[in-house]
Structure formats: C-alpha cells, structure tokens
C-alpha cells in the first residue's frame, strides 16, 4: 500500500485545528447566547404571541387576531403618545445634537485645562438616570418651591410653569435629557476632532479666520460622518423615552408629555390590558427595527465613502 503523503495530511490537520478553534469560541459564547435567548428572544416572541390573544392576567385565553391592534386606535392617548414621541425626537435633534457639538468645539479650542473640562462635561453621565431625573424634577418644579423659580425670583421674575405648561413641557424634559447625555456624546465628537491636523487650524488662524469660521470650514466637515451615526443612535434612544416623563410629569399635564413607552407601561401595569400593551410593544419594535436598518444603511454608506 502507498503511504499517504504529508501534503494530503496537512489540509486535514489544518481543518481539524480550525474546527477545534471554532468549537472553543462557540463554547465561550454559549452562556451569553443562552442568556440572550432566555431574557430577550423568549419574552419578545411571547409578547408577539400575546398580542394576538385575549388574556386573563398573563394567561392566554382566546385567539382574537388583530383585535388588540384595533383597540389601540380607539385609546384616547394613543395618537397623543405617538405625536409626543415625534415631538421628543424632533426637539432632541435640535437641542440634543447641537449642544454636544458646541461643547466639543469649545473644549477643542481650549489650550489650558482641557482635561478638566472634559471630565466636567462627562460628569453628568456618571449620575444614575433616575437620580438625574429627580434633580431636574426639583429644579423645574412649578410655583415658588422650584429651585429655578427661586433663582428667578431673585431678579424679579415671577414663577414660571415649567412642567405644567403644555406648550413647553416636552422642551424642558428634553433639556434634562440633554444635560445627562451631552457630555458622553461630546467626547465622541472630540475623538473625531482629535484626528484633524493642527496645521489646518494654524493656517486658518494665520489667514485671519475666526473660531466660528474655523468650525464651519474645518471641524464641521470632519465630524459630519460621526454626526450621521449619532443622529440615528439618538433617534433610537429618544424614541424609547420612558422614565423622564414618567417621573417628572407622569405624562401630564393632560397627557401633554406622555410618550409611547409610557403608554405601554400604563396599559400593562395600571389598566392591566396586557394584550394591548403587547400589541403596542410590537408596533414599537417594528419601528425600531426600521430605524436600526436605516442606521446600518447610513453606517455602511459612510464606510464606502
């Protein structure tokens, strides 16, 4: 019999080594995959299933098809909650995108104490979200007891109804959200600005360009790609806003600040309409999937550029 050549044995041994390496990687990932499936996929699929049933508590009783989805449209707060969520998103795009860029640009322009201001900008992000909301609830309290109203009284300005004015309540909630998250977003922009050659700024300064001119001519084009990604991520985050309006206004006044996720909470745990809450959750999930797909399209187009 002819002996097997070493050339034939090499690919097989290489394949075995690759198989063992892949198997080891999968074994390391297995606990995380099991936990992810148990805590994410199983509840998600069960929620989709529940949305098509009439339930008693959390027990499925009778299949009703799209009846739960139909009932959502006659909920008084349904259209209001969707409209408010859109308002939250649009307002955050005006305030929440501009503020981090301004912070990043100002800190980048500094020559002294830059590290201190980076730390100061990021510090609000360290505060737990619930604690930050409680701070702003006290700060924006309407009447003479609110911190901001006490300060305004010192300069002769009467009490302002920050969280009880329908026209402005969403804006002030977005301000609280921006204060909490602007620092971490500013650091992302600063990392993009760090890649800009200092020679460009020096040349622009020698030519007499003002800081504002340098920002729009040099900084802004550089961070544009990062801005696209942060835009989509911010929309995804703001779309799921829950505890800010819940703790600051409880959706008031008269549902003027209720968000779609807060409506899910109210349907499930206050009105005990679990199947309708499940149906609304499925709708939100579909919207988020679409937004995530848009994000990946934007990210991939940025890589190709």
């Amino acid at each position: 019999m002819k002996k097997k050549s070493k050339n034939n044995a090499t690919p097989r041994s290489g394949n075995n080594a690759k198989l063992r390496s892949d198997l080891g990687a999968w074994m390391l990932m297995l606990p995380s995959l099991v936990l992810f499936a148990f805590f994410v996929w199983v509840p998600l699929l069960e929620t989709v299933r529940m949305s098509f049933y009439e339930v008693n508590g959390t027990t499925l009783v009778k299949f009703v098809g799209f009846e739960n989805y139909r009932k959502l449209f006659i909920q008084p707060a349904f259209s209001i909650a969707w409209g408010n969520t859109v308002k939250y998103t649009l307002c955050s795009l005006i305030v929440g995108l501009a503020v981090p860029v301004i912070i990043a640009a100002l800190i980048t322009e500094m020559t002294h104490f830059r590290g201190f201001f980076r730390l100061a900008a990021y510090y609000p992000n360290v505060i737990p979200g619930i604690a930050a909301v409680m701070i702003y609830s006290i700060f924006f309290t309407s009447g003479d007891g609110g911190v901001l109203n006490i300060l305004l009284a010192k300069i002769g300005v009467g009490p302002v109804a920050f969280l009880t004015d329908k026209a402005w309540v969403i804006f002030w909630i977005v301000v609280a959200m921006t204060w909490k998250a602007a620092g971490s977003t500013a650091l992302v922009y600063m990392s993009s600005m760090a890649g800009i050659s200092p020679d460009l700024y020096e040349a622009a300064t020698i030519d007499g360009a003002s800081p504002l001119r340098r920002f729009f001519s040099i900084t802004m084009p550089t961070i544009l790609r990062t801005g696209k990604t942060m835009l989509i991520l911010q929309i995804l985050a703001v779309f799921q806003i829950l505890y800010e309006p819940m703790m600051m206004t409880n959706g008031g006044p008269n549902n003027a600040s209720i968000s779609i996720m807060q409506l899910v909470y109210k349907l499930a745990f206050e009105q005990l309409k679990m199947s309708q809450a499940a149906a609304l959750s499925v709708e939100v999930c579909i919207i988020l999937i679409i937004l995530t797909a848009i994000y990946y399209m934007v990210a991939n187009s940025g890589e190709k550029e």
Side-chain angles (χ1 to χ4, degrees):
M1 293 179 64
K2 293 183 179 180
K3 294 182 179 181
K4 293 182 179 180
S5 64
K6 293 182 179 180
N7 293 334
N8 292 333
T10 301
R12 183 175 298 175
S13 61
N15 291 335
N16 290 336
K18 185 177 184 300
L19 181 61
R20 285 194 298 270
S21 177
D22 291 346
L23 183 61
W26 278 106
M27 291 300 292
L28 289 173
M29 293 169 55
L30 185 61
S32 298
L33 292 175
V34 171
L35 290 173
F36 183 80
F38 184 77
F39 287 106
V40 177
W41 282 108
V42 172
L44 178 61
L45 295 175
E46 191 63 25
T47 299
V48 175
R49 184 184 176 202
M50 184 183 291
S51 69
F52 294 106
Y53 279 80
E54 179 183 325
V55 298
N56 182 14
T58 57
T59 304
L60 305 183
V61 176
K62 184 177 67 174
F63 180 80
V64 294
F66 289 94
E67 180 65 16
N68 292 317
Y69 293 88
R70 187 193 67 80
K71 288 180 179 178
L72 284 176
F73 288 97
I74 61 176
Q75 281 284 339
F78 178 75
S79 59
I80 298 174
W82 276 111
N84 288 342
T85 302
V86 173
K87 290 178 183 177
Y88 278 117
T89 305
L90 294 177
C91 191
S92 71
L93 295 183
I94 298 172
V95 179
L97 276 181
V99 171
V101 172
I102 294 171
I103 293 174
L106 290 175
I107 294 177
T108 303
E109 287 284 340
M110 291 178 179
T111 55
H112 302 290
F113 304 108
R114 187 180 296 178
F116 169 78
F117 284 105
R118 283 178 179 173
L119 179 62
Y122 185 75
Y123 179 74
N125 200 68
V126 179
I127 301 174
I130 300 296
V133 173
M134 291 176 67
I135 291 171
Y136 261 88
S137 297
I138 298 171
F139 196 76
F140 283 134
T141 298
S142 300
D144 297 330
V147 174
L148 190 53
N149 276 327
I150 292 173
L151 296 175
L152 290 174
K154 299 295 183 181
I155 59 174
V157 179
V160 179
F162 291 103
L163 299 179
T164 55
D165 187 344
K166 290 184 178 181
W168 288 94
V169 61
I170 288 179
F171 172 78
W172 294 118
I173 292 176
V174 170
V175 168
M177 294 168 53
T178 303
W179 177 84
K180 174 73 170 61
S184 58
T185 307
L187 291 180
V188 176
Y189 285 117
M190 278 186 270
S191 65
S192 297
M193 295 176 186
I196 303 174
S197 173
D199 296 338
L200 293 175
Y201 287 112
E202 290 178 7
T205 304
I206 293 171
D207 290 339
S210 64
L212 192 63
R213 177 68 176 176
R214 293 198 298 269
F215 173 77
F216 283 106
S217 299
I218 301 174
T219 307
M220 198 65 180
T222 305
I223 66 172
L224 190 59
R225 185 179 299 177
T226 303
K228 291 179 182 178
T229 303
M230 298 307 296
L231 170 68
I232 301 300
L233 291 177
Q234 181 158 332
I235 291 174
L236 289 172
V238 176
F239 203 85
Q240 302 173 71
I241 181 175
L242 171 61
Y243 58 82
E244 287 89 353
M246 181 183 294
M247 293 191 64
M248 294 179 72
T249 62
N250 196 26
N254 194 22
N255 288 334
S257 62
I258 188 172
S259 67
I260 199 66
M261 295 306 298
Q262 188 180 359
L263 180 58
V264 172
Y265 177 87
K266 285 180 175 291
L267 287 172
F269 301 108
E270 293 182 7
Q271 302 177 26
L272 300 180
K273 298 177 180 178
M274 292 291 183
S275 53
Q276 292 184 38
L280 185 54
S281 299
V282 172
E283 290 184 7
V284 174
C285 185
I286 292 172
I287 297 295
L288 292 178
I289 289 172
I290 295 172
L291 293 175
T292 304
I294 294 172
Y295 162 68
Y296 278 110
M297 290 172 58
V298 171
N300 291 334
S301 65
E303 290 177 0
K304 291 178 181 179
E305 291 174 2

